[in-house]
């Protein structure tokens, strides 16, 4: 059994056992705590420009909001038992599509954004039924190859994409994008919308089917679960939603280039999920905070950033498959057992 499968089964079993051990009253309290925590986090995010009016911190907030879109949408694919290294490439497809439609064809930004997401989703729909039949390291290698192919298309199709120089001087898609605060709130709203969509999927009957597919896809298929269809659906939705990040990122820096959508971008999204916890929705959000803040702390060690990220990823995969959230869940279970033992 490989590391990915072991982590998947361990994460799924830990969630299932903890859920089954809770009484209805305890479940209600847990749900209330989650709602309160989400409300507090959203309140802090809304108040962020007021707490830190400095442009640097506002841009940092924009980066966190956009990074959360990529991490959470990739989590939707990871929940099906796959780790994709092409997520950054799909983000690039949407970014280039939206920018080209806006700059060269005069489309309004909202329509260009939607078209970019549709283009990314259609590409995922085209190749998804083929590559999602692969598992483990074979899927990882194929998505790595796919990401490189897409990057080379961006690089070599100079008449359309601008080649290595990309496309610069992208005008603001909407008039209020000129204000960093207004653009922050727009990105925050887009991020919250994407997170809510993923949360709603994972909390539905399809979410339970996704968990069964991740733990044992053959058993799920023999039980009547349409494994390939659900995998393709989640893959398409995730790749379409990450297009929002690509289009808004182009608006943030007013330029796009092939290097902005290489394998390192996809790997960073994977690290965000692994660090935070791959099988909890809050996991990729915590991982995003860490991965966005860490480069600022390591600004003087740019050449060592990827090495440090790689070491952290290996350690977490080997020792803490549940990530930061897994540590919290483990601590809670230990404390609750001690309390029950003391009461007994």
């Amino acid at each position: 059994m490989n590391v990915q499968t072991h982590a998947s089964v361990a994460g799924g079993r830990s969630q299932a056992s903890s859920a089954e051990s809770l009484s209805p009253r305890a479940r209600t309290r847990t749900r209330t705590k989650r709602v309160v925590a989400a409300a507090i986090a959203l309140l802090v995010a809304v108040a962020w420009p007021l707490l830190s009016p400095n442009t640097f911190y506002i841009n940092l907030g924009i980066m966190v909001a956009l990074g959360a879109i990529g991490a959470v949408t990739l989590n939707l694919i990871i929940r099906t038992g796959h780790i994709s290294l092409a997520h950054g490439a799909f983000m690039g497809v949407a970014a280039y599509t939206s920018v080209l439609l806006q700059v060269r064809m005069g489309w309004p930004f909202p329509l260009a954004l939607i078209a970019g997401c549709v283009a990314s989703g259609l590409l995922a729909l085209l190749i998804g039924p083929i590559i999602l039949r692969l598992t483990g390291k074979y899927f990882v290698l194929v998505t790595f190859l796919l990401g490189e192919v897409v990057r080379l298309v961006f690089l070599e199709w100079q008449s359309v994409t601008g080649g290595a120089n990309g496309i610069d001087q992208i005008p603001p898609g909407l008039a209020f994008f000129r204000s960093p605060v207004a653009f922050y709130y727009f990105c925050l709203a887009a991020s919250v919308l994407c997170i809510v969509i993923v949360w709603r999927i994972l909390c539905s009957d399809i979410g339970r089917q996704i968990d069964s597919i991740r733990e044992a896809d053959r058993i799920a298929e023999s039980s009547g679960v349409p494994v390939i269809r659900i995998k393709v659906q989640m893959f398409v939705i995730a790749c379409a939603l990450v297009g929002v990040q690509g289009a808004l990122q182009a608006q943030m820096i007013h330029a796009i280039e092939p290097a902005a959508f290489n394998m390192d971008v996809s790997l960073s999204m994977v690290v965000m999920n692994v660090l935070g916890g791959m099988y909890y929705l809050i996991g990729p959000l915590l991982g995003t905070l860490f991965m966005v803040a860490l480069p600022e702390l390591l600004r003087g060690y740019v050449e060592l950033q990827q090495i440090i990220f790689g070491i952290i990823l290996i350690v977490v995969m080997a020792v803490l498959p549940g990530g930061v959230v897994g540590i919290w869940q483990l601590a809670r279970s230990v404390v609750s057992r001690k309390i029950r033992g003391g009461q007994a």
Side-chain angles (χ1 to χ4, degrees):
M1 182 179 293
N2 56 33
V3 174
Q4 177 187 349
T5 306
H6 180 271
S8 171
V9 174
R13 287 178 179 173
S14 63
Q15 291 183 74
S17 60
S18 60
E20 292 173 357
S21 62
L22 294 177
S23 64
R25 182 177 298 178
R27 292 175 187 172
T28 302
R29 288 199 301 266
T30 301
R31 191 178 300 111
T32 302
K33 290 178 181 178
R34 290 175 179 175
V35 172
V36 171
I40 293 174
L42 183 59
L43 182 61
V44 171
V46 171
W48 180 253
L50 304 177
L51 298 174
S52 53
N54 188 293
T55 304
F56 171 79
Y57 292 107
I58 294 176
N59 288 332
L60 188 63
I62 294 173
M63 292 169 60
V64 171
L66 295 182
I69 296 176
V72 168
T73 53
L74 179 60
N75 185 258
L76 197 58
I77 299 175
I78 291 176
R79 291 292 189 99
T80 64
H82 296 283
I83 295 181
S84 173
L85 292 182
H87 214 50
F90 285 101
M91 183 176 73
V93 169
Y96 271 98
T97 301
S98 64
V99 167
L100 289 172
L101 290 176
Q102 176 192 349
V103 174
R104 299 189 181 180
M105 300 188 66
W107 284 35
F109 175 74
L111 290 180
L113 170 63
I114 295 173
C117 295
V118 170
S120 181
L122 287 176
L123 178 60
L125 181 61
L126 178 64
I127 65 174
I130 301 173
I131 66 174
L132 287 169
R133 297 180 186 276
L134 303 173
T135 58
K137 58 181 176 292
Y138 301 106
F139 181 83
V140 174
L141 291 174
V142 168
T143 54
F144 167 75
L145 177 61
L146 174 63
E148 286 299 297
V149 170
V150 173
R151 186 185 65 83
L152 288 176
V153 170
F154 294 155
L155 188 63
E156 299 297 334
W157 201 3
Q158 297 185 16
S159 60
V160 176
T161 64
N165 295 325
I167 303 173
D168 57 4
Q169 297 182 351
I170 299 173
L174 297 172
F176 63 85
F177 281 4
R178 293 185 175 88
S179 168
V181 175
F183 184 64
Y184 166 79
Y185 283 121
F186 187 90
C187 293
L188 178 62
S191 179
V192 170
L193 177 61
C194 293
I195 293 171
V196 169
I197 292 174
V198 174
W199 169 80
R200 187 67 188 89
I201 291 173
L202 295 176
C203 291
S204 66
D205 291 336
I206 295 179
R208 287 182 281 275
Q209 292 177 334
I210 290 173
D211 289 335
S212 67
I213 291 172
R214 185 185 70 247
E215 294 186 28
D217 56 351
R218 293 184 180 179
I219 296 177
E221 189 170 16
S222 65
S223 301
V225 177
V227 173
I228 295 299
R229 189 179 72 186
I230 290 179
K231 285 184 177 183
V232 172
Q233 288 175 348
M234 297 306 104
F235 190 68
V236 171
I237 292 173
C239 293
L241 290 179
V242 78
V244 177
Q245 178 184 359
L248 291 178
Q249 183 173 297
Q251 291 293 317
M252 176 185 176
I253 60 179
H254 303 292
I256 53 174
E257 59 178 353
F261 311 106
N262 58 19
M263 193 272 293
D264 290 342
V265 176
S266 300
L267 183 59
S268 295
M269 296 179 187
V270 174
V271 175
M272 290 175 187
N273 279 271
V274 174
L275 288 178
M278 293 188 290
Y279 307 115
Y280 306 89
L281 185 57
I282 193 176
L285 300 179
L286 294 175
T288 301
L289 287 173
F290 180 82
M291 290 294 292
V292 171
L294 185 61
E296 298 303 322
L297 298 176
L298 299 176
R299 186 179 290 270
Y301 305 93
V302 176
E303 67 279 0
L304 296 178
Q305 285 185 13
Q306 298 302 324
I307 297 176
I308 294 173
F309 291 157
I311 294 174
I312 293 174
L313 179 62
I314 293 172
V315 171
V316 172
M317 286 291 289
V319 181
L320 303 169
V324 174
V325 182
I327 298 174
W328 171 251
Q329 295 291 342
L330 180 61
R332 285 183 58 189
S333 63
V334 171
V335 172
S336 62
R337 288 175 185 174
K338 289 184 178 180
I339 293 175
R340 291 174 185 173
Q343 292 176 348

